[in-house]
Amino acid sequence: MGPGNDDVEDELGDDEFDDDEEELVHTSVWVEVNGLSLYTHHGVSAAEREFGQRLILDIRLELGEADATVTDRLEDTVDYARVCEVAALVATQRSDKTLERLCAAIADRLLRDFNVQAVYVKAAKPEPPIPLPVDDVSVEVLRELAEPDD
């Protein structure tokens, strides 16, 4: 260790902020799921809805100040395994023409089922039925809880 590292070691402990410092700190927590791969039946054409295709979902949930940053308890945050289960359930039990509608339905369900302030959902088709070469096509939807009126 070089000179001055003793100060760094003291700062790396699990000590919480004192009361004066806590008032200066605002914490925001996001939980993300990236690359959730599902076989679904969404699309404009009847063939897409009948035969299906793979969709890749990216999901981001804004929790605000999650108690888990202090308590380290799962029940004080969002269980991302459960987020995946809910998103997969919504995506596989429907057959929408547009990805916009699918993303909105997933976001609405996640807002309803979890204690979150906002949900972002991106759905990508890695093999879209178009005659030009693309990596993927995607749609993104952001749903936020409305601020209460004063």
Side-chain angles (χ1 to χ4, degrees):
M1 280 208 251
N5 284 341
D6 292 336
D7 293 336
V8 173
E9 286 180 13
D10 291 342
E11 294 174 17
L12 294 178
D14 283 338
D15 297 333
E16 296 179 23
F17 289 104
D18 64 31
D19 290 338
D20 293 336
E21 290 174 321
E22 281 186 21
E23 292 175 12
L24 300 174
V25 175
H26 174 77
T27 302
S28 288
V29 176
W30 292 268
V31 171
E32 291 188 38
V33 173
N34 294 305
L36 177 59
S37 181
L38 304 169
Y39 195 83
T40 66
H41 297 270
H42 302 278
V44 173
S45 74
E48 281 184 288
R49 290 190 310 280
E50 182 180 346
F51 298 112
Q53 65 191 299
R54 188 168 59 100
L55 286 184
I56 307 295
L57 299 179
D58 293 337
I59 302 166
R60 182 176 176 147
L61 302 108
E62 182 181 355
L63 282 59
E65 291 198 38
D67 290 340
T69 61
V70 175
T71 66
D72 198 29
R73 297 177 348 163
L74 180 59
E75 54 269 20
D76 291 334
T77 189
V78 169
D79 180 350
Y80 48 79
R82 183 74 182 123
V83 168
C84 290
E85 291 170 3
V86 170
L89 185 68
V90 173
T92 58
Q93 289 189 339
R94 318 172 49 95
S95 182
D96 295 300
K97 291 182 181 176
T98 65
L99 292 179
E100 288 85 348
R101 181 67 201 117
L102 172 63
C103 289
I106 292 169
D108 289 345
R109 177 70 184 267
L110 293 173
L111 273 173
R112 188 185 80 206
D113 287 6
F114 296 94
N115 184 24
V116 297
Q117 296 175 356
V119 176
Y120 157 89
V121 178
K122 176 182 176 183
K125 290 184 179 182
E127 296 138 10
I130 60 176
L132 297 168
V134 296
D135 289 338
D136 65 28
V137 296
S138 64
V139 169
E140 302 174 25
V141 169
L142 173 65
R143 292 276 221 223
E144 298 177 280
L145 293 179
E147 294 290 326
D149 293 334
D150 292 331

